[in-house]
Amino acid sequence: MRTLTAQMPNTGRAWHLYVVLYGETEWPTFQWDRTAPVPTGAERRAALASLGCEVAPGAVWSRTEDSRDPEDDSTSVLLIAAVTVCGRNGGAA
């Protein structure tokens, strides 16, 4: 089973969910046009399904922080949620 990573950042204007495809310039993307509340688990599953993916068996969402400018700790923090995904029904995503 081929697995990929899905990430979900909040840009300050909207939540985005995308599947990372290394070596590609276009990634499957879904957007919620809101900053709050955080998309629920059911909303995330539906968005992943619309992208042809599902959460990989046993995978759980994790969260990390990033910065628009890592050299300047006074810049806004970007929160990113991530999870391992696979193609629906175990196929390639």
Side-chain angles (χ1 to χ4, degrees), residues 50-67:
S50 76
L51 301 177
C53 298
E54 62 187 359
V55 174
V60 295
W61 286 90
S62 64
R63 284 135 186 92
T64 189
E65 292 184 3
D66 198 1
S67 174

Side-chain angles (χ1 to χ4, degrees), residues 10-65:
N10 183 325
T11 62
R13 294 186 179 150
W15 284 97
H16 298 268
L17 176 69
Y18 53 85
V19 178
V20 179
L21 299 176
Y22 294 105
E24 300 291 331
T25 57
E26 298 286 327
W27 293 352
T29 304
F30 184 92
Q31 178 177 311
W32 292 271
D33 291 321
R34 67 177 197 248
T35 58
V38 176
T40 65
E43 289 175 310
R44 296 176 202 186
R45 280 191 305 279
L48 285 169
S50 76
L51 301 177
C53 298
E54 62 187 359
V55 174
V60 295
W61 286 90
S62 64
R63 284 135 186 92
T64 189
E65 292 184 3

